[in-house]
């Protein structure tokens, strides 16, 4: 058997659009040609499961249970994140360059294992946009808050479970952004709409930031376009004008 020594990329046409298909030792990825959006990826194990290889379980049932299924994403949120990405690339190119690529299906599967259930669609969309920031990259998305990767979310959830500390953390909260000083912006998965909360160290109660992640991104993008934020050139924090 000949093994992969390097990734192999070819272009194919699907419904009139060109896609770059990459085969590697890890699996397969599919990206529209010329797009900056993160590719859809699947490991060979996932592909084998979807094809029913080595199992009698129906393929549809396997696909429906996959944590990283792109079809379950929030299309409105994805569109807003595309717009935010374009704004960041134009107005904060240094910060944008340091953002990580989108989460893979495997990343989301691992997070689902920690959550004890499927990754909420809004969170899937968010993590497929950018899976956190690159190691050592300076800059914050908003205020002093940095994007968290799927692995960092899992790690923080584990830390809160083992050592609650002085933060009023509750089961069902999922961190999105962190200033790594005890303050977190998170989703409240105990509510169907997944409202966005701000958790501040030393405060007993959270602050409501938005009724949903879609609303939070829409409001933040509008403020960015309106010039309500300014970037600290030394620390890279993105601070709201007083």
């Amino acid at each position: 058997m000949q093994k992969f020594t390097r990734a192999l990329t070819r272009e194919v046409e699907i419904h009139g659009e060109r896609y770059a298909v990459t085969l590697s030792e890890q699996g397969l990825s599919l990206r529209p040609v010329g797009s900056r959006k993160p590719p859809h990826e699947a490991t060979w194990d996932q592909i084998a499961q979807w094809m029913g290889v080595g199992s009698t379980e129906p393929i549809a049932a396997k696909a429906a249970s996959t944590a990283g299924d792109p079809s379950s994403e929030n299309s409105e949120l994805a569109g807003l994140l595309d717009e935010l990405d374009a704004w960041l690339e134009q107005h904060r190119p240094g910060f944008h360059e340091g953002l990580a690529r989108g989460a893979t299906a495997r990343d989301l599967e691992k997070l689902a294992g920690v959550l004890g259930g499927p990754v909420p669609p809004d969170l899937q969309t968010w993590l497929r946009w950018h899976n956190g920031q690159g190691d050592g990259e300076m800059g914050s998305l908003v205020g002093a808050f940095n994007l968290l990767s799927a692995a960092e979310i899992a790690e923080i959830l584990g830390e809160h479970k083992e050592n609650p500390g002085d933060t009023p953390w509750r089961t069902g909260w999922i961190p999105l952004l962190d200033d790594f000083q005890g303050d977190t912006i998170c989703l409240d998965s105990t509510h169907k709409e997944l409202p966005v909360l701000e958790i501040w160290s030393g405060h007993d109660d959270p602050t409501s930031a938005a009724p949903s992640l879609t609303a939070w991104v829409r409001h933040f993008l509008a403020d960015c376009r309106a010039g309500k934020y300014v970037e600290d050139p030394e620390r890279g924090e993105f601070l709201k004008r007083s």
Side-chain angles (χ1 to χ4, degrees):
M1 179 180 68
Q2 185 176 1
K3 294 185 177 181
F4 281 102
T5 57
R6 59 186 177 86
L8 176 66
T9 300
R10 293 290 186 270
E11 289 188 12
V12 299
E13 185 172 332
I14 304 174
H15 300 304
E17 291 192 39
R18 302 294 296 176
Y19 289 84
V21 180
T22 300
L23 305 178
S24 68
E25 187 176 358
Q26 289 72 39
L28 177 147
S29 71
L30 185 71
R31 180 203 295 270
V33 173
S35 173
R36 290 191 176 91
K37 295 179 65 175
H40 295 302
E41 299 178 315
T43 65
W44 293 120
D45 283 344
Q46 291 169 335
I47 293 170
Q49 289 178 358
W50 296 337
M51 295 178 68
V53 176
S55 173
T56 58
E57 183 178 350
I59 297 174
K62 283 184 174 290
S65 66
T66 302
D69 181 5
S71 66
S72 65
E73 292 186 2
N74 181 330
S75 59
E76 181 182 2
L77 175 58
L80 287 168
L81 289 172
D82 283 346
E83 293 181 41
L84 178 59
D85 204 67
W87 189 92
L88 290 171
E89 185 176 21
Q90 180 179 358
H91 298 280
R92 300 184 65 196
F95 173 74
H96 181 268
E97 187 177 353
L99 294 175
R101 295 177 61 181
T104 65
R106 181 57 178 159
D107 293 327
L108 296 175
E109 283 185 352
K110 289 180 179 179
L111 178 57
V114 174
L115 293 175
V119 178
D122 283 9
L123 182 56
Q124 284 193 42
T125 303
W126 175 267
L127 290 171
R128 283 189 177 278
W129 174 52
H130 288 293
N131 190 27
Q133 300 178 204
D135 293 338
E137 293 292 343
M138 296 291 292
S140 305
L141 177 66
V142 57
F145 290 96
N146 291 15
L147 273 76
L148 296 172
S149 68
E152 288 171 329
I153 291 173
E155 182 179 355
I156 290 173
L157 288 173
E159 291 173 354
H160 280 297
K161 185 175 182 180
E162 295 179 7
N163 183 24
D166 62 351
T167 300
W169 196 264
R170 300 173 192 169
T171 301
W173 289 355
I174 306 173
L176 287 177
L177 301 113
D178 203 296
D179 68 357
F180 304 111
Q181 298 182 40
D183 308 316
T184 309
I185 295 176
C186 70
L187 294 178
D188 183 359
S189 67
T190 65
H191 295 270
K192 182 179 179 180
E193 297 79 9
L194 273 69
V196 180
L197 304 177
E198 295 176 354
I199 315 300
W200 299 97
S201 178
H203 290 237
D204 293 333
D205 298 309
T207 300
S208 176
S212 67
L213 184 55
T214 300
W216 187 90
V217 173
R218 184 187 301 113
H219 182 74
F220 177 56
L221 177 59
D223 281 351
C224 289
R225 288 171 168 168
K228 294 184 178 181
Y229 282 88
V230 60
E231 186 175 49
D232 183 328
E234 294 184 2
R235 304 178 66 175
E237 295 178 356
F238 199 46
L239 307 173
K240 201 162 191 178
R241 297 178 187 272
S242 57

